[in-house]
Amino acid sequence: MATNEINTRANEFESTIGGVTVHGKAHSLSAWFVLALRLMMGYAFLYSGWTKITAAEPFSATGYLMNAVPAESPLLGLFHWMGSTPWFADFLSVAVPWGELLIGLALLAGILTRLAAFFGAFMMLMFYFSNWDVAHGFINGDFAYMLVFLAVAAFGAGRILGLDAIVEQYDLGGETLVEKYPKLRYVLG
């Protein structure tokens, strides 16, 4: 393509799932919004993890799992099992704050973005069920944040002013890292 030609498909995307194909065209400003979503969720998770790790009282998942989950939650039994199983509650008491911190750092730096967004979406799904409240319908903040994480992953937000853009193009003797190891595209980007 000559340098004065415009690539009209640069902001276009298409996907087929179950025989249904959707096609869209993003505005050129979309990259900035995807970046903003990545940074917003990165900061929110970094802050949440940091405040739990540095709190005067150590974070404990047990009290929340045993006392704060509404009785209407479809996963109440699972949360009570997690809270009443000492080794699992101890694991969660470390995994939740450190997971939030690491997810936040990864998103802010734009490294391992899809992996971080996947785990962020999983945490938001668990928060959705543990904060179960459908008084205003099935969509709440936890559900919305889960979708934000999935959008960050789907749009490869780590490639937008992130380290994933550099890591993916790392030269391994004539091949980029993701050309040599294509499955890395599932965790990078």
Side-chain angles (χ1 to χ4, degrees):
M1 176 177 7
T3 56
N4 60 350
E5 291 181 31
I6 297 173
N7 181 355
T8 58
R9 296 193 51 100
N11 290 333
E12 294 185 31
F13 50 92
E14 184 175 280
S15 179
T16 302
I17 297 176
V20 176
T21 300
V22 294
H23 179 86
K25 184 171 182 169
H27 189 277
S28 60
L29 289 175
S30 298
W32 292 104
F33 292 111
V34 170
L35 174 63
L37 290 175
R38 187 189 94 210
L39 295 176
M40 174 193 71
M41 294 309 292
Y43 174 77
F45 261 55
L46 176 78
Y47 181 80
S48 182
W50 180 253
T51 57
K52 285 178 180 80
I53 291 167
T54 60
E57 291 286 320
F59 173 76
S60 173
T62 303
Y64 177 81
L65 292 168
M66 297 304 292
N67 303 311
V69 178
E72 299 81 19
S73 173
L75 298 183
L76 179 65
L78 174 65
F79 291 120
H80 279 184
W81 174 84
M82 288 191 272
S84 63
T85 305
W87 68 267
F88 201 81
D90 290 345
F91 167 75
L92 289 178
S93 294
V94 173
V96 168
W98 283 99
E100 287 175 339
L101 182 84
L102 293 172
I103 289 167
L105 285 172
L107 292 178
L108 287 173
I111 186 76
L112 298 171
T113 303
R114 285 194 167 125
L115 183 66
F118 168 79
F119 282 110
F122 177 74
M123 287 181 85
M124 293 313 304
L125 178 67
M126 297 308 287
F127 295 154
Y128 173 74
F129 284 109
S130 69
N131 295 323
W132 189 259
D133 179 12
V134 292
H136 302 287
F138 287 98
I139 307 301
N140 64 16
D142 295 327
F143 190 87
Y145 286 146
M146 180 183 67
L147 292 179
V148 170
F149 274 119
L150 294 174
V152 163
F155 284 104
R159 294 185 191 115
I160 304 166
L161 297 178
L163 295 176
D164 281 339
I166 297 165
V167 172
E168 286 183 346
Q169 297 307 311
Y170 184 76
D171 185 12
L172 295 172
E175 268 186 307
T176 66
L177 183 67
V178 292
E179 287 172 338
K180 185 163 182 147
Y181 304 104
K183 290 185 180 181
L184 284 177
R185 288 187 173 107
Y186 294 109
V187 296
L188 297 168

